[in-house]
Amino acid sequence: MRKSGPPKGVIAYLVLELLEEKPRYGYEILKEIREISGGHWEPSYGSVYPILYKFEEKGWAERIDREDEPDRKYFELTDAGYEELEARRETGAEKARDFADVILGFFHVYAAFATDDRFRVPEKEGEWRFDEAFSRWMVEQVVRHHEHYFDAEFERVEDAPEEFYERHGVEHDE
């Protein structure tokens, strides 16, 4: 179970992937991550720029000058940066559980606000609400994204978590 936020190293991994595509500057990277997340997540300047400077320090990226935009700090991957990206791709598979924990954890908290009598969150006009209608809408969005990205109609998974883990050969915490 994760404590909070995205899994450690995810932003750095995304920066490496985006730099593989083409040289970029920090703000461009922030906006691209926002677009990838469907507008739901944008890391702060305070997380992306230190990563770029760290990559430069480690020799994974270097600044390049562009005559068309002399005031922007563009970065591109070096050969060592490509090697680091390959290594992170290998370890990235281990992050899937962390991602799932974050997503499920936040949804559970949302649902608890809607259903647990200990929470009394007032409804405000024009704002999201902690109720069944909004919960259904969120789940529907997840299904739509699944169908879009996997180009497949969503089918319910009837397995209990333990059955699912066993069927897919996944270790699980007790």
Side-chain angles (χ1 to χ4, degrees):
M1 174 176 50
R2 292 208 37 88
K3 299 256 188 273
S4 66
K8 184 176 173 29
V10 167
I11 297 171
Y13 170 71
L14 288 171
V15 171
L16 285 168
E17 285 285 2
L18 292 171
L19 289 178
E20 181 193 41
E21 232 175 42
K22 66 179 186 178
R24 297 178 187 266
Y25 57 95
Y27 185 69
E28 181 182 12
I29 291 169
L30 292 172
K31 294 302 169 196
E32 185 68 21
I33 292 172
R34 179 175 166 73
E35 186 176 312
I36 289 168
S37 74
H40 295 284
W41 179 48
E42 182 177 314
S44 68
Y45 291 103
S47 60
V48 170
Y49 280 99
I51 288 170
L52 289 168
Y53 298 141
K54 177 183 172 187
F55 287 0
E56 185 178 34
E57 185 179 297
K58 290 186 174 268
W60 299 342
E62 60 187 10
R63 286 188 214 196
I64 57 171
D65 295 321
R66 290 186 41 166
E67 290 183 21
D68 60 330
E69 295 182 280
D71 295 334
R72 289 218 164 106
K73 297 175 186 172
Y74 277 84
F75 292 82
E76 70 178 351
L77 285 185
T78 62
D79 289 342
Y82 285 103
E83 289 174 19
E84 179 63 19
L85 175 56
E86 284 303 316
R88 288 187 185 228
R89 283 177 174 157
E90 287 296 317
T91 61
E94 299 163 5
K95 304 262 185 240
R97 176 183 306 249
D98 290 342
F99 265 112
D101 283 347
V102 169
I103 293 164
L104 290 172
F106 281 125
F107 182 75
H108 281 289
V109 170
Y110 186 92
F113 283 172
T115 59
D116 190 314
D117 291 337
R118 294 176 291 179
F119 303 105
R120 293 186 186 91
V121 181
E123 291 185 11
K124 292 195 168 197
E125 187 66 33
E127 296 291 336
W128 277 65
R129 290 181 283 291
F130 294 103
D131 64 18
E132 186 179 356
F134 280 79
S135 174
R136 278 195 325 270
W137 184 85
M138 278 194 279
V139 171
E140 178 63 29
Q141 297 314 301
V142 170
V143 168
R144 288 180 186 185
H145 284 91
H146 170 87
E147 291 177 341
H148 171 79
Y149 287 111
F150 293 99
D151 194 27
E153 192 170 317
F154 182 79
E155 292 182 32
R156 296 282 307 267
V157 176
E158 300 297 333
D159 294 348
E162 293 78 15
E163 294 168 326
F164 182 83
Y165 298 148
E166 186 175 327
R167 191 159 48 89
H168 292 278
V170 174
E171 294 179 22
H172 67 292
D173 300 330
E174 295 295 329

PDB file of all heavy atoms in Angstrom, residues 14-40:
ATOM      1  N   LEU A  14       8.828   9.543 -16.997  1.00  0.00           N
ATOM      2  CA  LEU A  14       8.082  10.250 -18.041  1.00  0.00           C
ATOM      3  C   LEU A  14       8.964  11.280 -18.744  1.00  0.00           C
ATOM      4  O   LEU A  14       8.898  11.431 -19.968  1.00  0.00           O
ATOM      5  CB  LEU A  14       6.847  10.936 -17.454  1.00  0.00           C
ATOM      6  CG  LEU A  14       5.697  10.032 -17.043  1.00  0.00           C
ATOM      7  CD1 LEU A  14       4.646  10.825 -16.277  1.00  0.00           C
ATOM      8  CD2 LEU A  14       5.077   9.366 -18.253  1.00  0.00           C
ATOM      9  N   VAL A  15       9.789  11.981 -17.989  1.00  0.00           N
ATOM     10  CA  VAL A  15      10.684  12.974 -18.579  1.00  0.00           C
ATOM     11  C   VAL A  15      11.644  12.286 -19.553  1.00  0.00           C
ATOM     12  O   VAL A  15      11.855  12.774 -20.676  1.00  0.00           O
ATOM     13  CB  VAL A  15      11.447  13.762 -17.486  1.00  0.00           C
ATOM     14  CG1 VAL A  15      12.539  14.628 -18.098  1.00  0.00           C
ATOM     15  CG2 VAL A  15      10.478  14.627 -16.679  1.00  0.00           C
ATOM     16  N   LEU A  16      12.215  11.161 -19.157  1.00  0.00           N
ATOM     17  CA  LEU A  16      13.108  10.426 -20.061  1.00  0.00           C
ATOM     18  C   LEU A  16      12.384  10.005 -21.342  1.00  0.00           C
ATOM     19  O   LEU A  16      12.910  10.171 -22.446  1.00  0.00           O
ATOM     20  CB  LEU A  16      13.685   9.189 -19.363  1.00  0.00           C
ATOM     21  CG  LEU A  16      14.786   9.435 -18.340  1.00  0.00           C
ATOM     22  CD1 LEU A  16      15.042   8.172 -17.526  1.00  0.00           C
ATOM     23  CD2 LEU A  16      16.063   9.919 -19.006  1.00  0.00           C
ATOM     24  N   GLU A  17      11.185   9.457 -21.185  1.00  0.00           N
ATOM     25  CA  GLU A  17      10.414   9.034 -22.368  1.00  0.00           C
ATOM     26  C   GLU A  17      10.131  10.210 -23.300  1.00  0.00           C
ATOM     27  O   GLU A  17      10.250  10.098 -24.521  1.00  0.00           O
ATOM     28  CB  GLU A  17       9.089   8.380 -21.943  1.00  0.00           C
ATOM     29  CG  GLU A  17       9.228   6.987 -21.383  1.00  0.00           C
ATOM     30  CD  GLU A  17       9.505   5.908 -22.415  1.00  0.00           C
ATOM     31  OE1 GLU A  17       9.641   6.203 -23.622  1.00  0.00           O
ATOM     32  OE2 GLU A  17       9.594   4.739 -21.997  1.00  0.00           O
ATOM     33  N   LEU A  18       9.750  11.346 -22.718  1.00  0.00           N
ATOM     34  CA  LEU A  18       9.423  12.510 -23.543  1.00  0.00           C
ATOM     35  C   LEU A  18      10.661  13.085 -24.214  1.00  0.00           C
ATOM     36  O   LEU A  18      10.593  13.562 -25.352  1.00  0.00           O
ATOM     37  CB  LEU A  18       8.697  13.561 -22.708  1.00  0.00           C
ATOM     38  CG  LEU A  18       7.294  13.136 -22.250  1.00  0.00           C
ATOM     39  CD1 LEU A  18       6.724  14.134 -21.257  1.00  0.00           C
ATOM     40  CD2 LEU A  18       6.357  12.954 -23.443  1.00  0.00           C
ATOM     41  N   LEU A  19      11.805  13.045 -23.530  1.00  0.00           N
ATOM     42  CA  LEU A  19      13.046  13.524 -24.141  1.00  0.00           C
ATOM     43  C   LEU A  19      13.527  12.582 -25.249  1.00  0.00           C
ATOM     44  O   LEU A  19      14.223  13.010 -26.169  1.00  0.00           O
ATOM     45  CB  LEU A  19      14.143  13.693 -23.088  1.00  0.00           C
ATOM     46  CG  LEU A  19      13.967  14.860 -22.119  1.00  0.00           C
ATOM     47  CD1 LEU A  19      15.093  14.879 -21.093  1.00  0.00           C
ATOM     48  CD2 LEU A  19      13.883  16.194 -22.858  1.00  0.00           C
ATOM     49  N   GLU A  20      13.154  11.308 -25.152  1.00  0.00           N
ATOM     50  CA  GLU A  20      13.521  10.388 -26.231  1.00  0.00           C
ATOM     51  C   GLU A  20      12.838  10.809 -27.536  1.00  0.00           C
ATOM     52  O   GLU A  20      13.409  10.699 -28.616  1.00  0.00           O
ATOM     53  CB  GLU A  20      13.134   8.943 -25.893  1.00  0.00           C
ATOM     54  CG  GLU A  20      13.542   7.996 -27.012  1.00  0.00           C
ATOM     55  CD  GLU A  20      12.936   6.620 -26.896  1.00  0.00           C
ATOM     56  OE1 GLU A  20      11.752   6.508 -26.556  1.00  0.00           O
ATOM     57  OE2 GLU A  20      13.675   5.657 -27.164  1.00  0.00           O
ATOM     58  N   GLU A  21      11.614  11.301 -27.413  1.00  0.00           N
ATOM     59  CA  GLU A  21      10.844  11.719 -28.579  1.00  0.00           C
ATOM     60  C   GLU A  21      11.512  12.872 -29.318  1.00  0.00           C
ATOM     61  O   GLU A  21      11.603  12.865 -30.540  1.00  0.00           O
ATOM     62  CB  GLU A  21       9.463  12.168 -28.108  1.00  0.00           C
ATOM     63  CG  GLU A  21       8.327  11.543 -28.790  1.00  0.00           C
ATOM     64  CD  GLU A  21       7.012  11.984 -28.162  1.00  0.00           C
ATOM     65  OE1 GLU A  21       6.826  13.169 -27.837  1.00  0.00           O
ATOM     66  OE2 GLU A  21       6.171  11.108 -28.013  1.00  0.00           O
ATOM     67  N   LYS A  22      11.921  13.888 -28.527  1.00  0.00           N
ATOM     68  CA  LYS A  22      12.547  15.077 -29.105  1.00  0.00           C
ATOM     69  C   LYS A  22      13.070  15.950 -27.966  1.00  0.00           C
ATOM     70  O   LYS A  22      12.628  15.807 -26.820  1.00  0.00           O
ATOM     71  CB  LYS A  22      11.546  15.870 -29.948  1.00  0.00           C
ATOM     72  CG  LYS A  22      10.413  16.480 -29.137  1.00  0.00           C
ATOM     73  CD  LYS A  22       9.459  17.266 -30.019  1.00  0.00           C
ATOM     74  CE  LYS A  22       8.416  17.986 -29.165  1.00  0.00           C
ATOM     75  NZ  LYS A  22       7.523  18.779 -29.974  1.00  0.00           N
ATOM     76  N   PRO A  23      13.986  16.866 -28.266  1.00  0.00           N
ATOM     77  CA  PRO A  23      14.431  17.797 -27.228  1.00  0.00           C
ATOM     78  C   PRO A  23      13.240  18.637 -26.747  1.00  0.00           C
ATOM     79  O   PRO A  23      12.371  19.006 -27.539  1.00  0.00           O
ATOM     80  CB  PRO A  23      15.455  18.672 -27.946  1.00  0.00           C
ATOM     81  CG  PRO A  23      15.931  17.837 -29.099  1.00  0.00           C
ATOM     82  CD  PRO A  23      14.726  17.031 -29.513  1.00  0.00           C
ATOM     83  N   ARG A  24      13.212  18.889 -25.438  1.00  0.00           N
ATOM     84  CA  ARG A  24      12.100  19.639 -24.854  1.00  0.00           C
ATOM     85  C   ARG A  24      12.610  20.555 -23.755  1.00  0.00           C
ATOM     86  O   ARG A  24      13.677  20.349 -23.205  1.00  0.00           O
ATOM     87  CB  ARG A  24      11.064  18.698 -24.249  1.00  0.00           C
ATOM     88  CG  ARG A  24      10.379  17.773 -25.241  1.00  0.00           C
ATOM     89  CD  ARG A  24       9.406  16.853 -24.515  1.00  0.00           C
ATOM     90  NE  ARG A  24       8.854  15.854 -25.380  1.00  0.00           N
ATOM     91  CZ  ARG A  24       7.699  15.968 -26.041  1.00  0.00           C
ATOM     92  NH1 ARG A  24       6.980  17.044 -25.925  1.00  0.00           N
ATOM     93  NH2 ARG A  24       7.265  14.978 -26.797  1.00  0.00           N
ATOM     94  N   TYR A  25      11.770  21.523 -23.404  1.00  0.00           N
ATOM     95  CA  TYR A  25      12.036  22.381 -22.250  1.00  0.00           C
ATOM     96  C   TYR A  25      11.030  22.026 -21.162  1.00  0.00           C
ATOM     97  O   TYR A  25      10.024  21.344 -21.417  1.00  0.00           O
ATOM     98  CB  TYR A  25      12.001  23.864 -22.627  1.00  0.00           C
ATOM     99  CG  TYR A  25      10.714  24.337 -23.260  1.00  0.00           C
ATOM    100  CD1 TYR A  25       9.707  24.919 -22.495  1.00  0.00           C
ATOM    101  CD2 TYR A  25      10.509  24.211 -24.636  1.00  0.00           C
ATOM    102  CE1 TYR A  25       8.529  25.353 -23.080  1.00  0.00           C
ATOM    103  CE2 TYR A  25       9.337  24.645 -25.223  1.00  0.00           C
ATOM    104  CZ  TYR A  25       8.348  25.223 -24.444  1.00  0.00           C
ATOM    105  OH  TYR A  25       7.181  25.657 -25.027  1.00  0.00           O
ATOM    106  N   GLY A  26      11.305  22.449 -19.940  1.00  0.00           N
ATOM    107  CA  GLY A  26      10.526  22.022 -18.783  1.00  0.00           C
ATOM    108  C   GLY A  26       9.041  22.261 -18.875  1.00  0.00           C
ATOM    109  O   GLY A  26       8.235  21.371 -18.590  1.00  0.00           O
ATOM    110  N   TYR A  27       8.638  23.464 -19.254  1.00  0.00           N
ATOM    111  CA  TYR A  27       7.209  23.772 -19.312  1.00  0.00           C
ATOM    112  C   TYR A  27       6.505  22.896 -20.344  1.00  0.00           C
ATOM    113  O   TYR A  27       5.390  22.438 -20.138  1.00  0.00           O
ATOM    114  CB  TYR A  27       7.009  25.259 -19.629  1.00  0.00           C
ATOM    115  CG  TYR A  27       5.573  25.695 -19.588  1.00  0.00           C
ATOM    116  CD1 TYR A  27       4.888  25.751 -18.372  1.00  0.00           C
ATOM    117  CD2 TYR A  27       4.903  26.046 -20.747  1.00  0.00           C
ATOM    118  CE1 TYR A  27       3.558  26.149 -18.332  1.00  0.00           C
ATOM    119  CE2 TYR A  27       3.573  26.442 -20.713  1.00  0.00           C
ATOM    120  CZ  TYR A  27       2.908  26.494 -19.496  1.00  0.00           C
ATOM    121  OH  TYR A  27       1.586  26.889 -19.466  1.00  0.00           O
ATOM    122  N   GLU A  28       7.184  22.632 -21.447  1.00  0.00           N
ATOM    123  CA  GLU A  28       6.630  21.748 -22.475  1.00  0.00           C
ATOM    124  C   GLU A  28       6.395  20.346 -21.912  1.00  0.00           C
ATOM    125  O   GLU A  28       5.379  19.707 -22.196  1.00  0.00           O
ATOM    126  CB  GLU A  28       7.594  21.704 -23.655  1.00  0.00           C
ATOM    127  CG  GLU A  28       7.145  20.860 -24.815  1.00  0.00           C
ATOM    128  CD  GLU A  28       8.168  20.829 -25.942  1.00  0.00           C
ATOM    129  OE1 GLU A  28       9.324  21.264 -25.747  1.00  0.00           O
ATOM    130  OE2 GLU A  28       7.795  20.341 -27.010  1.00  0.00           O
ATOM    131  N   ILE A  29       7.320  19.878 -21.092  1.00  0.00           N
ATOM    132  CA  ILE A  29       7.185  18.564 -20.459  1.00  0.00           C
ATOM    133  C   ILE A  29       5.986  18.551 -19.506  1.00  0.00           C
ATOM    134  O   ILE A  29       5.189  17.611 -19.515  1.00  0.00           O
ATOM    135  CB  ILE A  29       8.494  18.183 -19.728  1.00  0.00           C
ATOM    136  CG1 ILE A  29       9.594  17.922 -20.763  1.00  0.00           C
ATOM    137  CG2 ILE A  29       8.288  16.977 -18.821  1.00  0.00           C
ATOM    138  CD1 ILE A  29      10.985  17.789 -20.183  1.00  0.00           C
ATOM    139  N   LEU A  30       5.841  19.619 -18.710  1.00  0.00           N
ATOM    140  CA  LEU A  30       4.683  19.699 -17.807  1.00  0.00           C
ATOM    141  C   LEU A  30       3.378  19.601 -18.580  1.00  0.00           C
ATOM    142  O   LEU A  30       2.463  18.855 -18.195  1.00  0.00           O
ATOM    143  CB  LEU A  30       4.700  21.037 -17.046  1.00  0.00           C
ATOM    144  CG  LEU A  30       5.788  21.255 -16.027  1.00  0.00           C
ATOM    145  CD1 LEU A  30       5.753  22.693 -15.519  1.00  0.00           C
ATOM    146  CD2 LEU A  30       5.635  20.292 -14.875  1.00  0.00           C
ATOM    147  N   LYS A  31       3.267  20.341 -19.654  1.00  0.00           N
ATOM    148  CA  LYS A  31       2.033  20.347 -20.448  1.00  0.00           C
ATOM    149  C   LYS A  31       1.792  18.996 -21.117  1.00  0.00           C
ATOM    150  O   LYS A  31       0.649  18.549 -21.222  1.00  0.00           O
ATOM    151  CB  LYS A  31       2.065  21.470 -21.496  1.00  0.00           C
ATOM    152  CG  LYS A  31       2.052  22.836 -20.880  1.00  0.00           C
ATOM    153  CD  LYS A  31       0.827  23.007 -20.014  1.00  0.00           C
ATOM    154  CE  LYS A  31       0.877  24.235 -19.171  1.00  0.00           C
ATOM    155  NZ  LYS A  31      -0.086  24.234 -18.086  1.00  0.00           N
ATOM    156  N   GLU A  32       2.850  18.338 -21.566  1.00  0.00           N
ATOM    157  CA  GLU A  32       2.687  17.029 -22.199  1.00  0.00           C
ATOM    158  C   GLU A  32       2.192  15.997 -21.183  1.00  0.00           C
ATOM    159  O   GLU A  32       1.316  15.188 -21.496  1.00  0.00           O
ATOM    160  CB  GLU A  32       4.018  16.580 -22.823  1.00  0.00           C
ATOM    161  CG  GLU A  32       3.928  15.299 -23.605  1.00  0.00           C
ATOM    162  CD  GLU A  32       3.107  15.411 -24.886  1.00  0.00           C
ATOM    163  OE1 GLU A  32       2.932  16.530 -25.399  1.00  0.00           O
ATOM    164  OE2 GLU A  32       2.630  14.363 -25.353  1.00  0.00           O
ATOM    165  N   ILE A  33       2.726  16.037 -19.973  1.00  0.00           N
ATOM    166  CA  ILE A  33       2.265  15.109 -18.940  1.00  0.00           C
ATOM    167  C   ILE A  33       0.800  15.392 -18.612  1.00  0.00           C
ATOM    168  O   ILE A  33       0.001  14.468 -18.442  1.00  0.00           O
ATOM    169  CB  ILE A  33       3.163  15.177 -17.684  1.00  0.00           C
ATOM    170  CG1 ILE A  33       4.549  14.623 -18.016  1.00  0.00           C
ATOM    171  CG2 ILE A  33       2.537  14.414 -16.516  1.00  0.00           C
ATOM    172  CD1 ILE A  33       5.589  14.803 -16.919  1.00  0.00           C
ATOM    173  N   ARG A  34       0.427  16.661 -18.560  1.00  0.00           N
ATOM    174  CA  ARG A  34      -0.977  17.020 -18.331  1.00  0.00           C
ATOM    175  C   ARG A  34      -1.859  16.431 -19.444  1.00  0.00           C
ATOM    176  O   ARG A  34      -2.912  15.872 -19.176  1.00  0.00           O
ATOM    177  CB  ARG A  34      -1.141  18.534 -18.260  1.00  0.00           C
ATOM    178  CG  ARG A  34      -2.564  18.994 -18.053  1.00  0.00           C
ATOM    179  CD  ARG A  34      -2.618  20.516 -17.872  1.00  0.00           C
ATOM    180  NE  ARG A  34      -3.932  21.051 -17.989  1.00  0.00           N
ATOM    181  CZ  ARG A  34      -4.903  20.940 -17.101  1.00  0.00           C
ATOM    182  NH1 ARG A  34      -4.690  20.270 -15.993  1.00  0.00           N
ATOM    183  NH2 ARG A  34      -6.077  21.482 -17.301  1.00  0.00           N
ATOM    184  N   GLU A  35      -1.410  16.544 -20.690  1.00  0.00           N
ATOM    185  CA  GLU A  35      -2.189  16.012 -21.806  1.00  0.00           C
ATOM    186  C   GLU A  35      -2.295  14.486 -21.729  1.00  0.00           C
ATOM    187  O   GLU A  35      -3.367  13.921 -21.936  1.00  0.00           O
ATOM    188  CB  GLU A  35      -1.544  16.426 -23.128  1.00  0.00           C
ATOM    189  CG  GLU A  35      -2.378  16.029 -24.326  1.00  0.00           C
ATOM    190  CD  GLU A  35      -1.776  16.534 -25.620  1.00  0.00           C
ATOM    191  OE1 GLU A  35      -1.422  17.728 -25.689  1.00  0.00           O
ATOM    192  OE2 GLU A  35      -1.661  15.719 -26.557  1.00  0.00           O
ATOM    193  N   ILE A  36      -1.184  13.821 -21.426  1.00  0.00           N
ATOM    194  CA  ILE A  36      -1.183  12.356 -21.306  1.00  0.00           C
ATOM    195  C   ILE A  36      -2.185  11.905 -20.254  1.00  0.00           C
ATOM    196  O   ILE A  36      -2.860  10.882 -20.422  1.00  0.00           O
ATOM    197  CB  ILE A  36       0.238  11.847 -20.956  1.00  0.00           C
ATOM    198  CG1 ILE A  36       1.163  12.000 -22.161  1.00  0.00           C
ATOM    199  CG2 ILE A  36       0.205  10.399 -20.491  1.00  0.00           C
ATOM    200  CD1 ILE A  36       2.631  11.800 -21.823  1.00  0.00           C
ATOM    201  N   SER A  37      -2.308  12.669 -19.170  1.00  0.00           N
ATOM    202  CA  SER A  37      -3.208  12.283 -18.078  1.00  0.00           C
ATOM    203  C   SER A  37      -4.643  12.726 -18.317  1.00  0.00           C
ATOM    204  O   SER A  37      -5.476  12.622 -17.416  1.00  0.00           O
ATOM    205  CB  SER A  37      -2.713  12.875 -16.755  1.00  0.00           C
ATOM    206  OG  SER A  37      -2.975  14.262 -16.703  1.00  0.00           O
ATOM    207  N   GLY A  38      -4.938  13.217 -19.500  1.00  0.00           N
ATOM    208  CA  GLY A  38      -6.293  13.668 -19.778  1.00  0.00           C
ATOM    209  C   GLY A  38      -6.643  14.935 -19.010  1.00  0.00           C
ATOM    210  O   GLY A  38      -7.806  15.228 -18.766  1.00  0.00           O
ATOM    211  N   GLY A  39      -5.630  15.692 -18.631  1.00  0.00           N
ATOM    212  CA  GLY A  39      -5.847  16.942 -17.906  1.00  0.00           C
ATOM    213  C   GLY A  39      -6.020  16.789 -16.413  1.00  0.00           C
ATOM    214  O   GLY A  39      -6.318  17.753 -15.713  1.00  0.00           O
ATOM    215  N   HIS A  40      -5.799  15.604 -15.882  1.00  0.00           N
ATOM    216  CA  HIS A  40      -6.044  15.360 -14.460  1.00  0.00           C
ATOM    217  C   HIS A  40      -4.804  15.466 -13.590  1.00  0.00           C
ATOM    218  O   HIS A  40      -4.901  15.454 -12.381  1.00  0.00           O
ATOM    219  CB  HIS A  40      -6.680  13.979 -14.267  1.00  0.00           C
ATOM    220  CG  HIS A  40      -8.032  13.896 -14.878  1.00  0.00           C
ATOM    221  ND1 HIS A  40      -9.144  14.468 -14.306  1.00  0.00           N
ATOM    222  CD2 HIS A  40      -8.457  13.338 -16.037  1.00  0.00           C
ATOM    223  CE1 HIS A  40     -10.196  14.251 -15.077  1.00  0.00           C
ATOM    224  NE2 HIS A  40      -9.803  13.570 -16.131  1.00  0.00           N
TER     225      HIS A  40
END
